[in-house]
Structures are given as structure tokens and as C-alpha cells.
Amino acid sequence: MAMGLRERRKQETRQALSNVAMRLFEAKGFDEVKIIEVADAAGVSKMTVTNYFPRKEDLVFDRAEVIIRSLADTVTARPAGENALTAIRRDFTARIAAEDAVPTPAFAQMVQNSRILTARVREIADLREQALGDAIAAETGQDDPLQRIVVAQLASVHRVLFGEAFRRVLDGRPRDEIVRMLATAADQAFDRLEVALGDCFIKA
């Protein structure tokens, strides 16, 4: 119970620091804000901030590890007899329904205006694909280029459509329109992938 309380307090502190940082970043721009400013605004030391967030961009992508693991965890948790594509499709459909696939205009603009953040977005997508490939390799007991190519196609729907959502948000398109676009494009993409990949990675 004591450990649970400590972990909860650490999580609350982490979230509070991220919230303070995001307000500063969105108001002034990510590149213009220094770590010491975040610390001062949060009423903590600079070391406290860096202990929780070793890299400045981690304050923006505080859920990066969850995102990186998302496809791998989805595939690992799928029931026996289900292929990987079906599990990934179900996960993406749920994210669209929850509007988790559409960033806010302020967030999208902040990322667009920073080379550091745009690079981190690409890195997270690459690491998510790698984690999915590692999970599939662990499941199949093999790891070869062809298998990684198939994995890349499975992960591509998330990567491409998240990028498309970002672009349309920056263009000022209405949120509900973007959600509808994502739902339609995802269905079309997964339908086409099903033809070629529907028999791949069926869980025993």
C-alpha cells in the first residue's frame, strides 16, 4: 500500500510537471521555453524536472512509452485464432471512436513549429513499429526481413493516418470532419491489407 501511494504521488508530480510545461510550450513555443522556466512555474528545482523528464521533449510526449508499446501490446493481447491485422484494426477503430487520433490545434501547431518535436514524432512511430516487430518475432520464433516488411505494412495505417490528421488539423479542418475521414480511410486501408495479410500472424 505504501509503495502504491509513492507511485501515485510520483505519477501526480509527473503529470503536474507535464501540464505546466505544456501551458508554457503552447503559449511561447517549445523551442523558446527553457527547463528552468518549467521548474520555476511548477515550483520545483530544475533537477526535479530532469529526474522525471530526462529530455525536454519528454515533457510533451509524456505518454511516449505507452504509444510505443501500443501496437505490440494490442497484438500480444489478441485472442487465439485472431490475426494481427484484426487486432490492430480493432484498436485503431477504438482510438477513432474516442477521438484519440486527432490532436488539438495548439498541440499540432507546437509540434509543427519545432524540428525537435517533429523528429520525436517520427522516432516514436519508428519505435512503435520496431516494438510490434519484436512482439511478432517473439510470437513466431523467427525474425527475418520479410516478416519485418509485413509488420511495417500493419503499422503503416496508424503512422500515415495520424500524420494525415495532423496535416488537416493544421489546415483548420473541423474535428468531426477529420474523424470521419480517419474512419473511412482506415476501413479502406485495412480492407485492402486484409486481402494480402489476413492469413499472417494468426495467434495459436
Side-chain angles (χ1 to χ4, degrees):
M1 186 177 297
M3 177 60 75
L5 179 60
R6 284 198 297 272
E7 289 301 317
R8 185 165 66 251
R9 286 177 175 169
K10 285 173 62 177
Q11 185 57 40
E12 289 171 352
T13 299
R14 181 181 177 86
Q15 187 62 56
L17 291 172
S18 178
N19 291 344
V20 169
M22 287 298 294
R23 287 196 293 271
L24 291 172
F25 295 155
E26 290 180 355
K28 301 172 65 175
F30 175 81
D31 294 342
E32 304 305 318
V33 177
K34 300 184 184 302
I35 292 293
I36 189 62
E37 294 179 68
V38 176
D40 289 345
V44 299
S45 69
K46 180 180 178 180
M47 182 175 293
T48 296
V49 177
T50 55
N51 282 342
Y52 280 92
F53 300 96
R55 297 191 298 181
K56 182 180 166 185
E57 55 267 37
D58 293 338
L59 284 156
V60 176
F61 300 106
D62 59 313
R63 294 178 60 247
E65 289 305 315
V66 174
I67 297 171
I68 289 167
R69 288 293 315 167
S70 61
L71 295 183
D73 290 345
T74 294
V75 166
T76 300
R78 76 192 189 282
E82 184 173 85
N83 63 32
L85 187 149
T86 299
I88 291 172
R89 181 174 196 162
R90 182 172 59 249
D91 173 71
F92 194 72
T93 299
R95 292 179 186 277
I96 294 173
E99 297 192 9
D100 191 32
V102 183
T104 65
F107 183 85
Q109 192 64 58
M110 178 182 62
V111 172
Q112 173 75 7
N113 291 341
S114 171
R115 285 182 293 179
I116 293 174
L117 295 183
T118 54
R120 181 58 173 154
V121 168
R122 290 192 295 270
E123 181 184 32
I124 288 172
D126 289 344
L127 291 172
R128 181 175 57 193
E129 179 185 313
Q130 181 179 326
L132 176 60
D134 292 345
I136 293 294
E139 182 177 288
T140 63
Q142 65 182 49
D143 193 355
D144 56 57
L146 179 58
Q147 184 165 282
R148 290 281 173 172
I149 289 170
V150 173
V151 165
Q153 293 180 72
L154 293 174
S156 68
V157 178
H158 283 64
R159 176 176 53 79
V160 172
L161 291 185
F162 280 142
E164 187 65 21
F166 256 80
R167 185 180 70 80
R168 294 189 181 218
V169 167
L170 290 169
D171 286 343
R173 307 306 303 172
R175 191 176 185 86
D176 59 345
E177 176 188 300
I178 297 173
V179 171
R180 290 195 300 271
M181 177 279 298
L182 290 174
T184 299
D187 278 343
Q188 293 173 342
F190 284 120
D191 282 347
R192 294 194 178 192
L193 288 176
E194 182 71 37
V195 175
L197 308 179
D199 60 350
C200 293
F201 313 136
I202 298 174
K203 191 169 186 179

